[in-house]
Amino acid sequence: MTLTEFITQFDKDDAVVLLEGKRKVLEGDKQKLVLLGALLASKTSKMLFRSGNADGSDQLFSEGVAQIDHSRLQVITPYTAHRQKTNLAYDTISLDEIDMVAEPEVVYQSKSNKKTENLVDQYVSGDRDRYSIKAAYIIRDTIKAIGTNDIKPATFGIFYDDLKNPMSGGTGHTMTVCRQNNIPIINQEVWLKWLQA
């Protein structure tokens, strides 16, 4: 997929594009993530960009978007005060604001992550200890992709992945949820070429 094809297909009203990935970013790639965020925000006018407000990829992509138009940047956070000082988004939605009991599909798909499967039920039942809070990150990652009753689902996912250990951790969970819900995704093997166009 070329940049032009992506813009033609996805720069539409109600389009939500995930811009996110690994916390660890290769030093030589950091500026490229910022450049991509800025390029996409400058070449499009309708799509909303969504992130999880994490350090690393999320932050770098967000910096690029915010340089051009922070009003099109939305973050979904695992709790209210999550990285507030570095949050560049115009629209921030915290899991604390979402009635998880009313979101059975989010709960179901979050439990597909076997490492946190049991913690999801604890979190949804209101338990907020240092163990169950781990589930908040996976639930946040699920919501970023499929949305909720009040949050639109993503229409496309652009990721910075660890190519030596692909689709692992929270980033891998988000990518898997996207695939299971027919949300197209790409990683840097595709989008790095967009910067050379």
Side-chain angles (χ1 to χ4, degrees):
M1 174 179 280
T2 66
L3 176 60
T4 303
E5 288 168 343
F6 168 72
I7 291 170
T8 301
Q9 191 171 348
F10 292 99
D11 192 24
K12 297 184 163 85
D13 291 331
D14 296 329
V16 177
V17 174
L18 301 179
L19 276 179
E20 59 176 279
K22 292 295 188 184
R23 285 182 174 82
K24 287 186 181 175
V25 178
L26 297 173
E27 196 58 43
D29 287 346
K30 288 181 178 176
Q31 191 56 33
K32 294 172 184 170
L33 275 72
V34 177
L35 287 172
L36 182 71
L39 176 70
L40 292 175
S42 64
K43 296 268 188 194
T44 63
S45 60
K46 296 177 181 175
M47 65 179 58
L48 180 75
F49 301 101
R50 179 180 291 160
S51 151
N53 198 44
D55 193 19
S57 299
D58 293 20
Q59 184 68 38
L60 294 165
F61 282 135
S62 293
E63 285 174 14
V65 172
Q67 286 175 10
I68 307 300
D69 184 1
H70 90 287
S71 73
R72 289 167 53 212
L73 182 60
Q74 177 189 74
V75 298
I76 298 177
T77 62
Y79 52 88
T80 302
H82 181 259
R83 291 176 36 85
Q84 269 181 324
K85 290 182 180 177
T86 56
N87 186 345
L88 301 170
Y90 179 79
D91 181 25
T92 300
I93 302 164
S94 162
L95 255 61
D96 295 335
E97 303 167 35
I98 300 169
D99 177 6
M100 293 310 305
V101 175
E103 301 293 343
E105 189 60 28
V106 170
V107 173
Y108 174 75
Q109 292 200 37
S110 296
K111 288 170 79 169
S112 69
N113 185 299
K114 296 305 173 195
K115 285 185 179 177
T116 57
E117 180 181 7
N118 294 332
L119 297 176
V120 170
D121 285 332
Q122 291 178 34
Y123 181 88
V124 172
S125 71
D127 190 358
R128 299 290 186 275
D129 62 24
R130 63 191 179 107
Y131 299 108
S132 64
I133 200 68
K134 292 177 183 177
Y137 289 87
I138 291 298
I139 294 167
R140 180 266 320 259
D141 291 343
T142 303
I143 290 172
K144 284 185 299 186
I146 66 169
T148 66
N149 292 325
D150 299 317
I151 299 170
K152 293 175 193 163
T155 47
F156 197 87
I158 298 175
F159 292 88
Y160 179 85
D161 199 9
D162 177 353
L163 298 180
K164 291 181 179 172
N165 187 19
M167 295 193 62
S168 61
T171 300
H173 173 76
T174 311
M175 295 170 85
T176 299
V177 171
C178 284
R179 283 187 171 165
Q180 289 171 343
N181 291 276
N182 300 312
I183 300 165
I185 61 172
I186 59 170
N187 65 20
Q188 64 265 39
E189 292 177 308
V190 174
W191 64 254
L192 279 174
K193 295 173 187 158
W194 295 358
L195 298 176
Q196 299 157 1

